[in-house]
Amino acid sequence: MSTETSNPETTPTFRPIPYPARRSFGKWFATTGWRHLIGVALCVYSAFPLLYVLSASLNPNGTLLSSNGFFSTIGFQSFIDLFQNEQRPYGAWFANTLIIGLTTAAASVFLGALAAYSFSRMRFTGRRVGLVSLLIVQIFPQLLAVVAIFILLTSLGDVFPALGTDNQIALIMVYLGGALGVNTYLMYGFFNTIPVEIDEAAKIDGAGHARIFFTMILRLVSPILAVVGLLTFISSTSDFVLASVVLVSPENQTLAVGLYSYVSEEFTSNWSVFAAGAVLAAIPVMALFLFLQKYIVGGLTAGAGK
């Protein structure tokens, strides 16, 4: 029976891995600490207005903020008064805002996608001039055309009452005309990222432009559709100038116009009810953002993996 002797020169030795030396506070702050400080500051800066409005909505005294600080007095009377005022129908304002916002967003996305597909995939006379014209038109703000829009709607109302002032359909048409240019130009850049070979392969199989657009392209450009729909919904629901010019009757007004009546009078301003209405008005925008977030994030991650 033979015994084997181990050679100390070939026997592996196991040494513990040394832990990295603890960095000083100055080095940690110089590398990553200042980023945490900026992040906390931005969170506080973003949350302060939200807490301010929420605290004012729960304050039954009718002021923006009591002298004792945030949430010193909590009550839901402002929310109750918001729906019990017959002269200021908040429920009708809320419904009108949803109808106008959702209709404008859906129509703007559909029309913008059609125009963007035409500019991106088709070659026709005046294509480049049309793109440049869309870009130039967006330089001028829509606020400059308020007087012209009012005169135009007043004249159209004599012929087509549905397109006259104090009508929600007329306001939707105004929003579509103002947002179609920028949405088309925004979608046009995203449509160009889709390979043309997909269209050519579908055309070999006998598919036309309509089938390619509705069955293939719309699925591939869903992220930009979600972004355009969300931005259009936010801009249409928060608009005040055009809505106040077009809509006159209280039952036809939107939230932005109707809530202004709570604070527009000099001696009867009720900031608590105004804040309560603003809190409830933010719910549709937040819900739509949470619903479309998965499409936006999914599109960004899919694009990063290509």
Side-chain angles (χ1 to χ4, degrees):
M1 183 176 182
S2 60
T3 60
E4 298 179 357
T5 59
S6 59
N7 188 0
E9 297 181 355
T10 59
T11 302
T13 59
F14 297 95
R15 297 179 180 179
I17 300 176
Y19 290 98
R22 183 181 295 272
R23 292 183 299 176
S24 62
F25 177 79
K27 293 183 179 180
W28 173 82
F29 186 82
T31 54
T32 59
W34 62 273
R35 302 178 183 177
H36 296 279
L37 184 61
I38 294 177
V40 172
L42 292 177
C43 291
V44 174
Y45 180 79
S46 302
F48 178 77
L50 303 178
L51 296 177
Y52 192 95
V53 175
L54 183 60
S55 176
S57 65
L58 298 176
N59 185 4
N61 296 326
T63 58
L64 281 178
L65 190 63
S66 61
S67 59
N68 296 329
F70 284 148
F71 304 102
S72 59
T73 305
I74 297 178
F76 297 94
Q77 187 62 36
S78 299
F79 293 91
I80 298 175
D81 297 339
L82 195 63
F83 291 94
Q84 291 183 349
N85 193 336
E86 297 180 357
Q87 297 179 354
R88 295 166 178 171
Y90 183 83
W93 298 342
F94 199 92
N96 296 337
T97 303
L98 289 180
I99 293 173
I100 294 174
L102 293 176
T103 304
T104 304
S108 180
V109 168
F110 180 70
L111 296 177
L114 288 175
Y117 177 79
S118 301
F119 282 115
S120 177
R121 292 297 193 265
M122 301 178 184
R123 298 295 181 266
F124 50 88
T125 304
R127 171 178 169 272
R128 186 175 299 275
V129 176
L131 288 174
V132 176
S133 300
L134 288 177
L135 184 61
I136 294 176
V137 169
Q138 300 307 312
I139 297 176
F140 304 96
Q142 198 174 15
L143 183 62
L144 298 177
V146 170
V147 177
I149 290 174
F150 179 78
I151 296 175
L152 178 62
L153 294 180
T154 303
S155 302
L156 288 176
D158 298 334
V159 182
F160 302 102
L163 297 179
T165 57
D166 201 17
N167 196 292
Q168 298 178 9
I169 298 179
L171 183 61
I172 292 174
M173 293 301 175
V174 173
Y175 286 154
L176 291 178
L180 185 59
V182 63
N183 291 340
T184 300
Y185 208 85
L186 183 63
M187 292 183 183
Y188 168 75
F190 199 93
F191 271 71
N192 288 337
T193 61
I194 306 300
V196 185
E197 290 76 11
I198 297 178
D199 299 23
E200 296 175 353
K203 291 179 181 179
I204 293 176
D205 295 336
H209 285 291
R211 187 174 181 180
I212 295 173
F213 176 76
F214 287 104
T215 61
M216 300 175 58
I217 300 298
L218 286 183
R219 298 180 182 180
L220 298 175
V221 298
S222 57
I224 193 62
L225 300 182
V227 172
V228 170
L230 179 62
L231 295 179
T232 305
F233 181 80
I234 293 175
S235 62
S236 60
T237 54
S238 60
D239 176 67
F240 174 79
V241 177
L242 292 177
S244 62
V245 171
V246 178
L247 303 178
V248 180
S249 302
E251 63 274 7
N252 293 331
Q253 292 176 346
T254 59
L255 286 173
V257 181
L259 287 176
Y260 179 70
S261 62
Y262 280 101
V263 296
S264 59
E265 300 179 3
E266 184 176 358
F267 299 104
T268 59
S269 297
N270 196 329
W271 291 100
S272 180
V273 179
F274 174 82
V279 170
L280 296 180
I283 294 178
V285 178
M286 182 179 62
L288 184 62
F289 176 79
L290 294 177
F291 175 74
L292 297 177
Q293 186 179 12
K294 57 182 178 180
Y295 298 101
I296 299 174
V297 175
L300 293 177
T301 55
K306 292 182 180 180

